[in-house]
Amino acid sequence: MQIESTTLWDFPRQNYGDKPHGNNKYNGVTPAFVIWNLLQRYTKEGDLVVDPMCGSGTTIDVAKELNRKVIGYDLNVVRADVIKNDSRKIPLKENSVDFVFIDSPYSDNIKYSDDEKCIGKISCEKTEFYDELEKVASEIARILKPGKAMGWVIADQWIKKKFTAAGVLLWQRLEKYFEPIDIICLTRHNQTSNTGIWHNRAMKFNFYLRGFKYLFIMKKLEKK
Ligand SMILES: C[S@@+](CC[C@H](N)C(=O)[O-])C[C@H]1O[C@@H](n2cnc3c(N)ncnc32)[C@H](O)[C@@H]1O
């Protein structure tokens, strides 16, 4: 298993399954290839993978395809193999999991469900948002086996002419429980800045070309 700095282009491309992964109609669905990359690098067959906020189940599908064991939780249960659970308390023993993937809410920009416990109802402009995500982080650290890794996707916020560095603010909390392996910049196919239309808009409206998500890859901090 590799626990080292990685870039998406230094890993040999292998066959990537042709079955559906998750549901791309689900609000905030994670691109399956991100999870596929992580599982290829940080897990082996038979390892236990957990996603505490698995939404439409992309992690479940990718993990199964790669012959990993998998448990997916969410408050919003949209399929039978997702277990309803608030990720601030994960019903697993400490030191029992080989890898955790999580794509958490980034703010209150998307409605996932009517569940009042949904962290996606809290704005990332509030300290409370990071307090609640830190509870999830602490649970992830508790269930991970010593030295094992996790991947966390989050984005910054730019709305109503106000920027909030949600990624950096979360990272500061994560550092209490994990040490860095890598930070990957995720861009989405239709949002790549490298197109004429975005270049022209940037010139016309005088803005920087931006728009990406962070993929934080970290490993459980060793107790001194
Ligand atoms: C960005 S989506 C995850 C998408 C998922 N990776 C997929 O591919 O479909 C964030 C998820 O966090 C869930 N969520 C928010 N607060 C939660 C909590 N306290 N406990 C468990 N899940 C929560 C939401 O219901 C939502 O499904």
Side-chain angles (χ1 to χ4, degrees), residues 43-49 63 66-70 98 145:
T43 67
K44 55 185 185 322
E45 287 201 6
D47 275 0
L48 176 59
V49 175
L66 293 173
N67 298 318
R68 276 61 167 163
K69 291 187 221 114
V70 62
D98 296 290
K145 292 178 186 168

Side-chain angles (χ1 to χ4, degrees), residues 22-23 26-31 35 51-59 73-76 85-88 101-106 110 112-113 117-120 136:
N23 178 354
Y26 190 83
N27 270 338
V29 68
T30 310
I35 302 168
D51 186 336
M53 296 188 172
C54 75
S56 68
T58 314
T59 305
Y73 301 104
D74 205 288
L75 285 174
N76 185 29
N85 186 65
D86 185 333
S87 53
R88 285 164 283 202
F101 175 76
I102 180 166
D103 183 355
S104 67
Y106 314 145
I110 289 180
Y112 296 106
S113 69
K117 296 192 285 298
C118 179
I119 295 174
V136 180

